[in-house]
Amino acid sequence: MKLPAKLVEIVSHNIAQELLDKHLVEADDPEKFKNDITEILLKAIEEEKQLQEEAERLVEKHINLIDEEIRFRDAVNKVKEKLAEERGIHLDPEERLNQISHKIKRYLETEDSVEIFEHPNKIRRIVLDKLKKLIKEEKEIDKEVRQRIKSYSKKIIEGTPEWKILYNRIYEDALRKRGWI
């Protein structure tokens, strides 16, 4: 997930509010509850970001050892897969969302200030569905951004500082168009 912090906050607050509104949970402090859900999502995103950055650093460091036929992105993905396996982080988007929803479920089960009125797995499935919708949108944005970059007359190589700056700028623009930021 490459979501900006503000968007994560909006989504996590919506998830928390839905759980509260449907009386699936009750929180002594609803704001703390919303912030805790936000923190779980932000930590998951930070894990993925660190994984990506470390994979890119390793590929850049050893770029001379990589076969010219392999694209930068493919090399980074291979390294990222290995790092993720070592750290117990799922890279498959469906599995990653499931992993995050389980973290939220564990939080609900262990947090003393939150009372659960529905089976934790039912709540986890509701959270998972919300996250799936979000990721579907994020994938569409990523695809749109990559297509826009490819459409430039000047060939911009993925992984370069120029590409990253352009990607982030177009990505934010796409989020703005959707009213997410």
Side-chain angles (χ1 to χ4, degrees):
M1 292 189 287
K2 295 177 274 239
L3 307 170
K6 185 64 181 166
L7 180 58
V8 171
E9 184 179 328
I10 291 168
V11 168
S12 59
H13 282 219
N14 286 342
I15 289 171
Q17 195 61 52
E18 181 176 332
L19 296 177
L20 292 167
D21 289 347
K22 289 183 174 181
H23 303 290
L24 300 172
V25 300
E26 185 178 289
D28 293 343
D29 181 353
E31 279 308 306
K32 179 188 178 309
F33 175 62
K34 291 174 186 176
N35 291 336
D36 289 348
I37 299 294
T38 301
E39 190 60 33
I40 292 168
L41 292 175
L42 288 174
K43 280 182 181 178
I45 290 170
E46 184 60 29
E47 285 176 337
E48 293 173 29
K49 181 180 175 190
Q50 288 174 354
L51 198 65
Q52 180 71 27
E53 288 171 356
E54 186 172 347
E56 287 176 2
R57 269 195 310 275
L58 287 169
V59 170
E60 287 170 0
K61 183 178 177 182
H62 300 289
I63 196 82
N64 58 331
L65 301 175
I66 297 173
D67 186 357
E68 289 180 22
E69 295 295 314
I70 298 176
R71 296 181 336 167
F72 179 81
R73 185 174 172 193
D74 293 337
V76 168
N77 285 338
K78 288 288 185 194
V79 171
K80 191 168 139 180
E81 285 174 16
K82 183 66 176 161
L83 292 172
E85 183 181 324
E86 291 171 0
R87 296 176 187 174
I89 297 172
H90 293 285
L91 290 181
D92 175 69
E94 187 93 13
E95 286 298 316
R96 182 63 176 157
L97 294 179
N98 199 26
Q99 191 175 40
I100 294 167
S101 69
H102 273 285
K103 288 180 181 185
I104 292 172
K105 175 185 159 225
R106 277 193 298 280
Y107 161 78
L108 293 172
E109 292 172 323
T110 59
E111 179 58 41
D112 292 335
S113 66
V114 177
E115 191 171 342
I116 304 170
F117 297 114
E118 188 60 64
H119 193 282
N121 275 331
K122 181 176 181 182
I123 295 171
R124 184 191 62 76
R125 284 191 301 272
I126 291 168
V127 170
L128 183 60
D129 288 342
K130 285 269 196 196
L131 292 173
K132 282 180 182 179
K133 289 176 187 171
L134 173 67
I135 295 306
K136 182 180 177 205
E137 282 282 327
E138 194 274 330
K139 280 183 179 180
E140 289 172 9
I141 292 171
D142 179 69
K143 184 178 178 182
E144 175 186 319
V145 170
R146 289 177 185 280
Q147 286 175 340
R148 280 184 58 189
I149 292 172
K150 282 182 182 177
S151 72
Y152 279 41
S153 57
K154 177 184 175 192
K155 181 164 174 58
I156 301 168
I157 299 171
E158 187 172 343
T160 63
E162 179 184 15
W163 188 91
K164 290 176 185 177
I165 290 168
L166 187 59
Y167 180 92
N168 289 333
R169 193 181 80 221
I170 295 171
Y171 190 88
E172 282 188 25
D173 185 46
L175 291 176
R176 254 187 234 94
K177 284 180 183 176
R178 286 173 167 78
W180 286 11
I181 57 172

